């Protein structure tokens, strides 16, 4: 059976997260393909990235073709939520009657850790790295499976790390020790990522 007949419903899952195309593929698309194809419910056909004026990614799209918009869609959204899709994400499609439909999904809450990119001692930038900081963040959060760092953005004067998990208050507590101990976090600020509509 041709794929268009097997999977007639085109669904776009809009994930409200700053995550680069490679990250989008690794975090969301590849695991979703495996699950949908294993269950013969659909597959991923593509994706996209919406950039803001400041160079930050505002959201990403994952395009799916599904066998139906009940079990197959429920499965796809459950997988995306388990992979860390944030609150405020939504999907949209056209039903059999030609009516546009939308459905919200996502459970993760987000924090943005903004790092001072210009005012620290030069030795800090030479001896510290974002990779090491990400490893420390993930280690601090993984103790209680609180979440993980997903991606980063670098501007002219600061860099932001985007961190997602189930409870931003517990994530803040877990990150306090990392921020106080790692020199690259001097002058940093930790902000909630607001839920978008």
């Amino acid at each position: 059976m041709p794929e268009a007949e097997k999977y007639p419903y085109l669904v776009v899952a809009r994930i409200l997260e700053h995550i680069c195309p490679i990250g989008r593929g690794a975090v969301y698309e590849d695991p979703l393909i495996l699950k949908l194809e294993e269950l013969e419910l659909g597959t991923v056909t593509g994706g996209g990235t919406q950039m803001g004026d400041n160079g930050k990614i505002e959201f990403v799209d994952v395009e799916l073709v599904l066998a139906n918009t009940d079990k197959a869609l429920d499965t796809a959204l459950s997988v995306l939520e388990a992979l860390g899709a944030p609150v405020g994400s939504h999907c949209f499609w056209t039903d059999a009657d030609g009516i546009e439909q939308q459905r919200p999904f996502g459970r993760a809450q987000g924090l943005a850790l903004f790092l001072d990119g210009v005012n620290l001692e030069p030795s800090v930038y030479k001896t510290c790295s974002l990779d090491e900081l990400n490893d420390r963040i993930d280690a601090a959060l993984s103790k209680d499976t609180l979440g993980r760092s997903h991606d980063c953005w670098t501007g002219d004067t600061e860099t932001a790390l985007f961190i997602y998990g189930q409870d931003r208050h517990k994530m803040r507590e877990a990150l306090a020790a990392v921020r106080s101990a790692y020199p690259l976090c001097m002058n940093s600020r930790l902000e909630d990522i607001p839920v978008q509509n």
Side-chain angles (χ1 to χ4, degrees), residues 11 66 68-78 91 93 103:
V11 176
L66 300 176
N68 53 65
T69 54
D70 41 50
K71 180 183 177 182
L73 183 58
D74 289 346
T75 299
L77 298 187
S78 293
C91 65
W93 70 97
R103 179 171 160 186

Side-chain angles (χ1 to χ4, degrees), residues 17-30 46-51 55 57 59-62 150-152:
E17 178 181 341
H18 180 108
I19 188 167
C20 70
I22 292 173
R24 183 189 73 223
V27 172
Y28 293 114
E29 293 174 2
D30 295 345
T49 301
Q50 178 63 50
M51 303 293 292
I57 296 171
F59 61 81
V60 298
D61 285 342
V62 176
H150 279 205
D151 208 340
C152 70

Side-chain angles (χ1 to χ4, degrees), residues 102-182:
Q102 284 197 40
R103 179 171 160 186
F105 70 96
R107 295 192 306 251
Q109 300 174 6
L111 294 172
L113 177 61
F114 290 91
L115 305 173
D116 187 337
V118 293
N119 297 308
L120 304 183
E121 291 294 326
S123 61
V124 172
Y125 300 115
K126 290 180 182 177
T127 59
C128 297
S129 73
L130 288 179
D131 288 340
E132 183 179 2
L133 177 55
N134 270 319
D135 289 343
R136 290 179 178 227
I137 288 171
D138 287 342
L141 297 177
S142 68
K143 292 174 186 174
D144 297 307
T145 60
L146 293 175
R148 69 179 187 273
S149 179
H150 279 205
D151 208 340
C152 70
W153 163 83
T154 301
D156 293 334
T157 60
E158 60 184 1
T159 295
L161 303 180
F162 301 99
I163 304 157
Y164 290 88
Q166 299 307 310
D167 187 325
R168 63 167 52 105
H169 302 294
K170 290 182 179 179
M171 289 194 296
R172 280 182 175 276
E173 293 173 2
L175 293 173
V178 176
R179 293 181 66 204
S180 63
Y182 198 62

